[in-house]
Amino acid sequence: MIYNPVLNFRSTRLFLILITAIGLIFFARLWIKPGILYSPHSDLIAQGAGYHALGGRALAEERHWPLWDPSCNSGSPAHANPLTTYASPLHWVFYVLPLDRAANMGFVLNVILAGLAMFACARRFLEHPHGAFFCCVAYMLSYRYLALIDAGWLPTITMYALAPLLVLAVDRALEAPSPPRTAVLAVVMALSAMQGSAQSFYYALLGLAGF
């Protein structure tokens, strides 16, 4: 079979569109209706929403980065709290959208990123794009991911989404080291370090050591 880069690009683009559409349709409740997705087990409702409300208010009203949280424990670090994830780019929606919309879109963006990242990673190791498509849909809609959403563990969800990109970036950098590939690896590592769940990052690094 003769390799055709135009057809390959078109098929890849189609799969990326399908992955995004599946994420949007499956989690339509999160971006169509207002109100934070309710779960009696949600840490996002119990803690995370308050942290992000504090961060948004600090930037909007006081014009400074939220370094200190005076609202609990007689005061405690805000930015240094791993649950706040103020620096993680996928959580910047909290600075531009109402709190409930931002919380739900944070879940949606992470789910879609997980699907796209797994598709890119699977294409690296699988010959057929249909196999990679199956892997990415199974990954983004897995029970584990749905359980994390129910628990409201937004920082952990972000590391789950970044893990395939981490594997892909490391594999490419080891295959043929170059400044661009090293830069991509550095960016993915930085995003992984900023996502808030140190435990998840630690487990990802253990997996990379075996890889």
Side-chain angles (χ1 to χ4, degrees), residues 93-162:
V93 290
F94 284 97
Y95 304 139
V96 296
L97 295 176
L99 182 62
D100 59 335
R101 291 290 189 181
N104 291 344
M105 284 306 299
F107 288 127
V108 173
L109 292 175
N110 277 278
V111 166
I112 293 176
L113 173 61
L116 297 176
M118 179 53 75
F119 181 77
C121 184
R123 286 293 286 129
R124 174 77 172 172
F125 302 104
L126 298 178
E127 180 180 357
H128 298 290
H130 294 85
F133 178 71
F134 175 83
C135 288
C136 80
V137 174
Y139 186 75
M140 69 189 291
L141 302 182
S142 68
Y143 169 79
R144 174 61 175 167
Y145 218 168
L146 299 180
L148 291 175
I149 294 176
D150 184 66
W153 291 359
L154 194 54
T156 307
I157 287 173
T158 300
M159 190 62 240
Y160 191 92
L162 289 172

Side-chain angles (χ1 to χ4, degrees), residues 30 35-53 83-85 91 94 99-107 148-155 157:
L30 290 175
I36 298 176
L37 178 67
Y38 176 75
S39 164
H41 314 292
S42 177
D43 285 351
L44 178 63
I45 294 176
Q47 296 177 320
Y51 292 139
H52 287 290
L83 297 178
T84 59
T85 62
H91 302 167
F94 284 97
L99 182 62
D100 59 335
R101 291 290 189 181
N104 291 344
M105 284 306 299
F107 288 127
L148 291 175
I149 294 176
D150 184 66
W153 291 359
L154 194 54
I157 287 173

